[in-house]
Amino acid sequence: RTKSIRKVTLAKFVLEIFFAIMVIYVPIYLHSSIGFSWTEIGLMFTVMLLPFVILEWPAGWLADKFLGEKELMIIGFLLMGTAVVAMPYLGNVFTVWLVVLLISRIGASLVEVTGETFFFKKIDGGDIRLISIFRLARPFGLIVGSIIGAVTLNFVPFENIFLVLGAVIFLGLKEALSLRDTK
């Protein structure tokens, strides 16, 4: 039981690192390196955040009824990782960036909802310590993601930060693959 909780907490930690790097570095990269206007970036970000509103409830239902949390989490990590690794190779094409950012957030929304669901299926109301540790994955992931980004930019060109993030995401995929499903 603890092993599964540790693995899903690490998966959440990776998701939070993804959020930190994407929130801090993508707007800067899109504006300063690619050349998009802030209006274009605002539109991209509005569309890319829709999966968190639209997909999480249906994804939870799908996981409960048919696929399971593990399988949807794996799909989510694959979508996130693939989209992020593609980013250094994209040019100044608005629709391509919009689609890739949307795919990355579809993956993130799947990982978010399945991680939460998996975790809370494995614990009961008396597991306050475990809930606290799970909740601390967010601030800790944001700090670690910020540090990874800052350190990475000291050694590689800006666009390669996405390759480093892709490697981190695929570590999260490794955790998801080794989960024992709740079904």
Side-chain angles (χ1 to χ4, degrees), residues 58-69:
W61 178 82
L62 187 62
D64 283 342
K65 298 292 182 192
F66 300 105
L67 294 176
E69 287 82 15

Side-chain angles (χ1 to χ4, degrees), residues 54-96:
I54 297 170
L55 289 182
E56 288 197 1
W57 182 84
W61 178 82
L62 187 62
D64 283 342
K65 298 292 182 192
F66 300 105
L67 294 176
E69 287 82 15
K70 175 182 175 177
E71 290 78 10
L72 280 180
M73 189 183 299
I74 290 167
I75 292 168
F77 274 119
L78 286 171
L79 290 172
M80 284 170 49
T82 303
V84 166
V85 168
M87 288 178 183
Y89 308 105
L90 305 177
N92 187 341
V93 181
F94 178 83
T95 53
V96 171

Side-chain angles (χ1 to χ4, degrees), residues 33-45:
S33 296
I34 301 296
F36 287 117
S37 71
W38 288 112
T39 304
E40 291 172 311
I41 293 169
L43 180 58
M44 283 183 209
F45 278 41

Side-chain angles (χ1 to χ4, degrees), residues 1-9 122 129-130 179:
R1 184 177 145 218
T2 305
K3 193 179 228 184
S4 291
I5 291 172
R6 185 181 71 237
K7 288 177 184 300
V8 76
T9 302
K122 293 287 185 183
R129 272 183 322 107
L130 296 174
L179 283 174

Side-chain angles (χ1 to χ4, degrees), residues 140-155:
F140 189 54
L142 295 174
I143 292 166
V144 170
S146 301
I147 292 169
I148 288 172
V151 169
T152 299
L153 289 179
N154 283 310
F155 298 104

